[in-house]
Amino acid sequence: MYSIIVVPPPTTEDEENRAQRRLAPGERLGFGRSAREGDLRIAHDGVSRRAGEIRAQGAFWTLSNLSARQTYVVENPEGAGEHIKVGPGRLEAPVPFEFSRIVLPAAGDLLPIEVWAPRHDYLRTGGGSYGDTTGSGHDGDTTAPAFSVDRTKRYFAVLAALCEPRLRGAPHAPPPTVDHVVERLRPTWPAASRTSVQWNIDYLAVKLRLKPGPETAEPGPRLNGKKESLVSLALRFDLVREDDLVVLATPSGRVAR
């Protein structure tokens, strides 16, 4: 199963490099101005020929800075300024954020590479984690969870807002518009905007496996269809229940960290 999804900078020109990249545990993705075949090429004069490398490590990932002079910053878009610095020449620095933005300084520009880590591993009953066959007291392979969501993240608040009308007693209500979701989340997330809400909807579609992968040529569903699919899936499998709507009334510092 893939564990890391890399979203190239918006300045990337050719179609092949604009596609998201999915990495399974142990796989690597290099990036730079003169990237090798299969790597992510960033056509900008301010980016080193071999700028860096991302490596998937199960539920997290590492960043190697192959630049000789530039420090890279990895931001947590949900962390109110939380970030780490990866200095020149640093190899395999671990990144602890589920959502991350690598910021590359490039001759006066700041180029973002987004990295998503949607895989979550949990302790299972009897000891050990999913995928760990030691210390469990049971024979055979374990069953991986079908869906994993973190109720402290903003994407879950967005999902709860999408599901709220049906959970409040209108089972056939259409999903709220993006503008309505923005207004619903403003008390707990003052910086909410159409762009940030749509970003979280796109992330949910990937995380819950509703969006076609980059290996297909399908463009994916339109936004309204995507929202309907998310709501239907979330309610069918109890990913969001009525008591989860409390996240819409909790101070933002406790809703999303």
Side-chain angles (χ1 to χ4, degrees):
M1 174 185 177
Y2 66 87
S3 62
I4 302 298
I5 301 170
V6 180
V7 183
T11 55
T12 305
E13 296 177 356
D14 58 287
E15 189 67 33
E16 180 181 354
N17 274 306
R18 280 203 299 266
Q20 296 175 2
R21 309 296 183 88
R22 300 189 178 196
L23 306 181
E27 291 184 338
R28 301 170 180 260
L29 176 68
F31 59 89
R33 191 172 77 249
S34 301
R36 295 169 296 187
E37 183 178 358
D39 287 346
L40 175 60
R41 181 174 178 270
I42 304 175
H44 192 294
D45 291 341
V47 176
S48 300
R49 287 187 294 274
R50 291 190 63 221
E53 187 175 75
I54 294 166
R55 181 174 181 178
Q57 297 280 7
F60 72 102
W61 57 282
T62 63
L63 173 64
S64 295
N65 182 351
L66 305 182
S67 165
R69 291 180 296 275
Q70 298 286 3
T71 293
Y72 299 157
V73 174
V74 184
E75 301 174 339
N76 176 4
E78 295 196 322
E82 186 179 16
H83 67 278
I84 62 173
K85 297 179 181 179
V86 182
R90 173 72 191 275
L91 300 178
E92 299 199 356
V95 178
F97 312 134
E98 179 175 353
F99 311 110
S100 305
R101 181 183 297 120
I102 305 171
V103 181
L104 305 178
D109 294 324
L110 297 176
L111 304 181
I113 301 175
E114 291 185 355
V115 183
W116 304 343
R119 169 177 165 171
H120 295 170
D121 291 340
Y122 294 97
L123 186 70
R124 67 186 182 189
T125 304
S129 60
Y130 289 109
D132 176 16
T133 57
T134 62
S136 66
H138 301 284
D139 295 328
D141 296 332
T142 59
T143 301
F147 309 103
S148 60
V149 294
D150 186 339
R151 285 168 167 77
T152 69
K153 298 294 186 183
R154 282 184 182 142
Y155 69 73
F156 186 78
V158 170
L159 185 59
L162 290 173
C163 295
E164 184 180 29
R166 297 190 189 181
L167 289 172
R168 296 291 192 195
H172 303 295
T177 66
V178 171
D179 288 332
H180 286 154
V181 173
V182 170
E183 291 304 313
R184 185 67 180 92
L185 295 177
R186 278 273 165 75
T188 60
W189 181 11
S193 65
R194 285 183 56 86
T195 299
S196 57
V197 167
Q198 288 178 350
W199 185 93
N200 277 276
I201 289 172
D202 285 340
Y203 178 77
L204 282 163
V206 172
K207 185 176 181 66
L208 300 182
R209 304 170 193 169
L210 295 177
K211 190 174 181 179
E215 67 277 1
T216 74
E218 302 175 35
R222 295 176 61 85
L223 186 60
N224 287 338
K226 193 182 302 180
K227 290 189 298 180
E228 175 67 38
S229 297
L230 285 170
V231 170
S232 296
L233 181 72
L235 296 181
R236 182 179 303 137
F237 292 99
D238 285 337
L239 300 183
V240 181
R241 301 181 177 90
E242 187 173 358
D243 56 1
D244 289 318
L245 297 181
V246 68
V247 302
L248 302 177
T250 303
S252 58
R254 295 174 56 192
V255 171
R257 298 188 294 274

